Amino acid sequence: MKKQVVLYKKLSPPLMARLHEQAQVTLIESLDAQGLDTLREALPRAHGLLGASLKLDAELLDLAPDLEAIASVSVGVDNYDIDYLTERRILLTNTPDVLTETTADTGFALILATARRVVELANMVRAGQWQRNIGPAHFGSDVHGKTLGIIGMGRIGEALAQRGHFGFGMPVIYHSHSPKPAVEQRFNAQYRSLPELLQQADFICLTLPLTAETEGLIGTEELALMRPESIFINISRGKVVDEAALIQALRAGQIRAAGLDVFEHEPLNPDSPLLQLNNVVATPHIGSATHETREAMARCAVDNLLAALAGERPANLVNVLAWKV
Ligand code: 8YV
C-alpha cells in the first residue's frame, strides 16, 4: 500500500513522476484560502508532507494523526514547531548545502547593488534622467578592500566570506555562537563580539537562522553602533531585525544603506516606508531562487521524504531526537 504524500509546492515533472511511482500524491496547487481548505481535508490521510513557506503548527498538524515526515524545501525551519514534531516523532528534513552558493551569491548581489546604487541609478537611466556625466551626487561606495562583517558563520556565512576574501580582497570579521578556526585559517577571518563587529565592519551581513535567541537581534542599540558609512545586508530572516528601528536608522543617516532580501512580513507591504527610501535595495526573498538551485532543493526534499517514509534515516534530518533509536 503506497504511503499518502501531500505536496504544497509544485515540483518539476521528473520529480512528480518519481513521487507518483512511490506514493499516492495529493497536490495543493496554491496556498490561498481554498488551497488551505484542501490541505486541511487532505491532512487526515497524510503520511508525508513536502513544501515550503507555510507555518505548520500544532493546530494544523493535529489534523494529521498518521503523519510520519515533513520535507521542507528550505534550509530555514523557523516556520515549524520542532518540539511538537519531535514529541510526535514526526521527522522534519530540510535542504542545506544545495542552496549555499546561490544564497551567498544573492548576498553579494545585494552588497554590490547597494554599495554602487545600481537599482537607484539604473532606474534613473530608465526614467530618461541621465542628462550629463555622473558626478559626486551619484557616486556609490567601493566594495573591494572594505571590511566584510558576517553575523552567523554557518555554510552561507562561510560562502560569503569566501567571496569577500578571494573575490574582493576584503578583510573578513565575523560573529558566531563560537569561534570557527577553520574559517579563520581559510579566509584570514577574525572573530569579533557583536558590538565590535557592528562598530568596525563596512558591510554588516546577517546570515544566521531565525530562532528565539536571534529574533530582534539587530535593534535600535545595535544599529546605533554602526558607522554612518556602513551598509546593512540581510539574507537571513526579516524578524532577526527590528524593521521599524532599521527604517529610523536609515532615515536618520545612522547607516548609509541597506540591502534586504527578507522582511518581518512577506510579501513586503507596498506601502512599507522601506520602499520610500532610495538607499534601500529590496528583493522578494530570492536567496535560493534560481532554476538550478530550486530544482536541486526539491530533489533533495523528495530524497529526504522517500527515505523517511521507507523507514530509513533521511540525510538532512533536522529534529534528530525524533529518530527512533
Ligand atoms: C526560500 C529560504 O524561502 O531555504 C530557505 O530557508 O529562505 C529560501 O531558500 C525557501 O527555500 C522557500 O522555497
Side-chain angles (χ1 to χ4, degrees):
M1 183 76 168
K2 285 183 177 179
K3 294 282 176 81
Q4 300 278 338
V5 166
V6 177
L7 291 185
Y8 53 100
K9 184 180 185 67
K10 284 188 187 130
L11 299 178
S12 64
L15 288 177
M16 284 302 282
R18 188 156 154 241
L19 263 185
H20 278 293
E21 278 171 19
Q22 315 262 342
Q24 192 69 35
V25 180
T26 302
L27 173 62
I28 311 293
E29 295 280 350
S30 84
L31 291 175
D32 56 13
Q34 187 180 348
L36 288 172
D37 285 346
T38 309
L39 176 65
R40 287 191 185 92
E41 287 160 14
L43 284 174
R45 60 179 184 274
H47 299 104
L49 287 174
L50 186 147
S53 311
L54 176 65
K55 188 165 183 59
L56 287 179
D57 56 19
E59 184 257 335
L60 207 52
L61 296 183
D62 281 347
L63 297 174
D66 298 328
L67 190 61
E68 299 171 23
I70 300 172
S72 190
V73 188
S74 68
V75 66
V77 288
D78 49 277
N79 50 319
Y80 302 94
D81 183 338
I82 293 178
D83 290 341
Y84 169 88
L85 295 174
T86 302
E87 180 66 31
R88 282 197 50 192
R89 307 296 285 270
I90 296 170
L91 304 183
L92 174 64
T93 67
N94 67 345
T95 60
D97 296 324
V98 289
L99 54 64
T100 299
E101 299 305 325
T102 298
T103 307
D105 287 350
T106 302
F108 246 87
L110 283 172
I111 286 172
L112 290 164
T114 311
R116 299 300 305 276
R117 304 169 59 180
V118 171
V119 175
E120 176 195 356
L121 299 179
N123 287 340
M124 182 185 84
V125 174
R126 188 179 295 276
Q129 294 163 357
W130 183 18
Q131 308 296 335
R132 61 189 61 81
N133 287 343
I134 290 295
H138 296 106
F139 289 172
S141 312
D142 275 337
V143 173
H144 62 273
K146 292 291 186 68
T147 299
L148 176 61
I150 299 172
I151 301 174
M153 191 51 79
R155 299 175 183 89
I156 295 169
E158 264 192 65
L160 209 57
Q162 180 182 20
R163 284 154 177 76
H165 177 70
F166 291 114
F168 291 82
M170 300 173 85
V172 177
I173 58 178
Y174 74 99
H175 178 71
S176 195
H177 266 311
S178 55
K180 308 277 182 181
V183 169
E184 294 178 10
Q185 188 178 7
R186 277 187 70 197
F187 310 125
N188 195 25
Q190 296 183 351
Y191 184 85
R192 291 284 185 277
S193 70
L194 182 59
E196 286 170 339
L197 186 148
L198 298 175
Q199 289 167 319
Q200 296 172 17
D202 296 304
F203 293 91
I204 296 147
C205 304
L206 286 189
T207 58
L208 74 181
L210 175 63
T211 65
E213 183 188 28
T214 64
E215 185 165 1
L217 179 73
I218 304 297
T220 303
E221 276 182 42
E222 291 71 27
L223 288 157
L225 291 173
M226 300 177 191
R227 289 181 284 116
E229 62 277 14
S230 64
I231 291 177
F232 179 71
I233 303 293
N234 191 4
I235 55 171
S236 62
R237 285 289 185 270
K239 289 185 177 174
V240 176
V241 185
D242 175 340
E243 202 161 280
L246 176 60
I247 291 164
Q248 185 53 37
L250 287 160
R251 280 175 171 160
Q254 273 180 263
I255 58 174
R256 170 157 298 166
L260 308 171
D261 188 45
V262 287
F263 305 89
E264 277 186 1
H265 302 287
E266 297 179 5
L268 181 63
N269 187 321
D271 297 330
S272 166
L274 286 170
L275 301 178
Q276 316 308 321
L277 298 167
N278 277 334
N279 56 346
V280 170
V281 173
T283 50
H285 201 149
I286 58 170
S288 62
T290 64
H291 297 291
E292 302 89 345
T293 292
R294 284 296 173 86
E295 180 65 8
M297 291 166 66
R299 193 178 312 116
C300 177
V302 168
D303 289 345
N304 285 332
L305 184 62
L306 292 180
L309 296 181
E312 298 156 14
R313 180 167 171 150
N316 307 106
L317 181 58
V318 173
N319 56 340
V320 293
L321 295 179
W323 180 247
K324 55 185 183 293
V325 288

